[in-house]
Amino acid sequence: MGNTMKCELAQEMIALSVYGELPDDQGPQLERHLAACELCRRELEAVQALSKAMSLLPVEEPSANLIARSRLRLEEALDAVPHGSWLLRCWQRLAQGVWRLRSAPVAVSGVLVVGLTAGGYSGYRVGEHDAVKTAPVIHPTPGEDPMADIANVSSIVQEPNTENVEVVYNRLQPETIRGSLDDPQIRQLLLVGARNRLNSGVRDNSLGLLANECRAGHQCDDGPIRDALIGAMRYDKSVAVRLKALEGLQPYVADDVRVRDAVLEALMKDTDPRVRTQAIELLEPVEADSSVREVLHTVSLRDDNPEIRTASRQVLDQIPQVQ
Amino acid sequence: MSAESLRFFPPSSAQLSATSTPKIQSSQGMATDPSARATETDLIREAQQGSRTAFDALVRQYDQAVLRLALHLTGSEQDAEDIHQEAFLKAYRYLGNFRFECSFYTWIYRIVTNLCLDLLRRRKSRREDQAVMLDSSGEEIDLLTNVSDQRASANPDRELSRKFLGERIREALDKLTPRERMVFELKHYQGLKLRTIGEMLNTTEETAKNTLFRATRKLRANLAELR
């Protein structure tokens, strides 16, 4: 049997060999060690067994639905990237150019020489002929930033042997719609607004309005709105949004198990005590449900916040003892 | 069923060359042949010049691989979707900084792995407070998992045993540090080379190697604990 140091090294090599990362020249060395060392042979078996066991958690391909949903969401987000990114890209291109030039001092000198010559020559020509030819592409209204509503530039083609270029660009065209909160189109837009990850104000407003509609019982029985509220309650980074979503879900805690589970999850997992407190209030009408009782019991024992522990205990105390 | 049932003992232990490796899932979009790489380079350059069409083509080349990795690491479609979105938005914003010093695949995976590491770290700090309860037989049950479970299933027995095994493995994985989890994920489940993993995680191949070794040690201990 090899000494301890050698076994330690052999065991590192075993892990690498199981994952096909052991350099070829170290293979024979490890084999010799294994032939003489029972302990390391067992180690090899154990690492191989681990590798097989871990493969029991399969790597699943993302579903077509997930791919489509993700692409759609990304497209919406890319469309919403503010025009600032156009300027950002210009800046990045400039920075990239500078980086390239820095890495090629000879090219810098060349560019300078060519630039000075061309500049001098064109200055001379302009002075001589007094001919200015420009082709304004964008006609901004006075006082308006000409780049303000440009979403992006999709292609640039230079006409051969001329100074003319054709730039294809997309403008952002904001539109406005007015209507009742019960209007399906308005609701659809509110749902889109609720998914706006870039502007928390819009998200907050949209979810707040949808939640109010649900609380008031205004045709809120369809899936998408309830799903949006559940999603916001689970994942939104803003506490205000999560609280609003929770309020909106109140009417459904009693009848919709999904809603109840989501509220229980908020009570267990949410990092903000205000959300957890409100979740307890929402659960009061369904306190007799066994999973609600279990969660309340756990929260009454383990929550970091003493007030939440007390509130859970109070709700539990109201439940008539069945057994 | 205990974690002991997860253990397998292959018939022969001395055959190093025939060691079992997991099914390797290479990236669906990874450009491997020279012509594809040239096309990809063109796409990147066009996207850097502002072509949204070119950027969309790049997204379609890599997004399934990104989703697959994020889905497996987080175990949640919603998280995977969020990571997908954040990763490509970042790529879109900072594409101008990509200077072909590494492959685009490595670059985009670097963004994704960083986002996943952030999420795993956030989750880990949350899980510390996670409640654990005892069921009627005195065994620990994970309430959160129970709460979020779907309540109906087509084939309850099979589904339950599959779920049980998966959960045990996930529990063992969850006990790793986010970095160990990431190295193990990229090596074992995504089948990447340690050198590439080092590049993605901004570290050396040697460090990735040590992290993998540590991860396998911990996983064995963690699975043994879950009896």
Side-chain angles (χ1 to χ4, degrees), chain B residues 181-195:
Chain B
R181 170 83 173 88
M182 182 61 76
V183 170
F184 190 80
E185 172 73 33
L186 294 174
K187 180 72 238 177
H188 183 96
Y189 293 110
Q190 309 292 328
L192 300 183
K193 285 269 162 210
L194 282 169
R195 200 175 55 171

Side-chain angles (χ1 to χ4, degrees), chain A residues 138-176:
Chain A
I138 301 159
H139 303 281
T141 46
E144 209 176 80
D145 177 2
M147 301 303 172
D149 68 343
I150 293 176
N152 58 27
V153 174
S154 47
S155 81
I156 301 172
V157 181
Q158 183 170 16
E159 285 173 26
N161 305 321
T162 71
E163 286 198 326
N164 296 335
V165 287
E166 184 186 86
V167 181
V168 180
Y169 62 96
N170 300 311
R171 276 180 183 269
L172 291 172
Q173 291 191 326
E175 285 183 13
T176 310

Side-chain angles (χ1 to χ4, degrees), chain B residues 19-121:
Chain B
T19 49
S20 68
T21 47
K23 188 183 161 199
I24 290 181
Q25 306 265 345
S26 69
S27 166
Q28 181 152 339
M30 193 170 173
T32 44
D33 69 283
S35 63
R37 222 176 292 143
T39 319
E40 184 180 278
T41 306
D42 292 344
L43 278 178
I44 297 166
R45 289 198 196 287
E46 278 175 42
Q48 283 180 328
Q49 283 160 14
S51 162
R52 173 77 184 274
T53 318
F55 184 78
D56 286 346
L58 285 170
V59 169
R60 271 161 177 64
Q61 204 161 314
Y62 289 100
D63 65 351
Q64 290 191 44
V66 167
L67 280 172
R68 189 169 55 222
L69 171 66
L71 191 59
H72 197 258
L73 261 174
T74 63
S76 145
E77 285 207 345
Q78 180 66 46
D79 286 338
E81 210 181 310
D82 287 348
I83 284 168
H84 170 275
Q85 163 141 332
E86 279 186 54
F88 284 110
L89 273 176
K90 266 197 172 167
Y92 187 66
R93 290 203 184 101
Y94 298 107
L95 193 62
N97 296 348
F98 179 70
R99 287 164 190 156
F100 300 90
E101 287 161 339
C102 60
S103 68
F104 185 73
Y105 166 76
T106 304
W107 188 73
I108 192 81
Y109 254 54
R110 194 176 290 160
I111 297 176
V112 176
T113 49
N114 272 326
L115 290 169
C116 289
L117 278 173
D118 287 346
L119 184 129
L120 291 177
R121 285 184 192 122

Side-chain angles (χ1 to χ4, degrees), chain A residues 100-130:
Chain A
R100 278 190 192 140
L101 290 177
R102 242 190 317 190
S103 65
V106 177
V108 173
S109 319
V111 169
L112 276 175
V113 170
V114 172
L116 286 171
T117 314
Y121 177 71
S122 57
Y124 165 76
R125 294 278 294 176
V126 166
E128 195 177 44
H129 296 287
D130 196 28

Side-chain angles (χ1 to χ4, degrees), chain A residues 60-87:
Chain A
E60 282 167 11
E61 284 300 315
S63 66
N65 251 345
L66 176 63
I67 296 171
R69 215 166 52 228
S70 305
R71 285 180 178 170
L72 199 71
R73 237 184 85 183
L74 177 66
E75 265 180 33
E76 279 172 9
L78 286 172
D79 288 343
V81 170
H83 67 276
S85 72
W86 189 87
L87 296 173

Side-chain angles (χ1 to χ4, degrees), chain A residues 11 19 21 44 49 54 71 153, chain B residues 8 13 50 63 188-189 217:
Chain A
Q11 286 170 10
Y19 284 106
E21 293 268 2
L44 173 65
M54 297 311 287
R71 285 180 178 170
V153 174
Chain B
F8 287 84
S13 62
D63 65 351
H188 183 96
Y189 293 110
R217 274 280 156 97

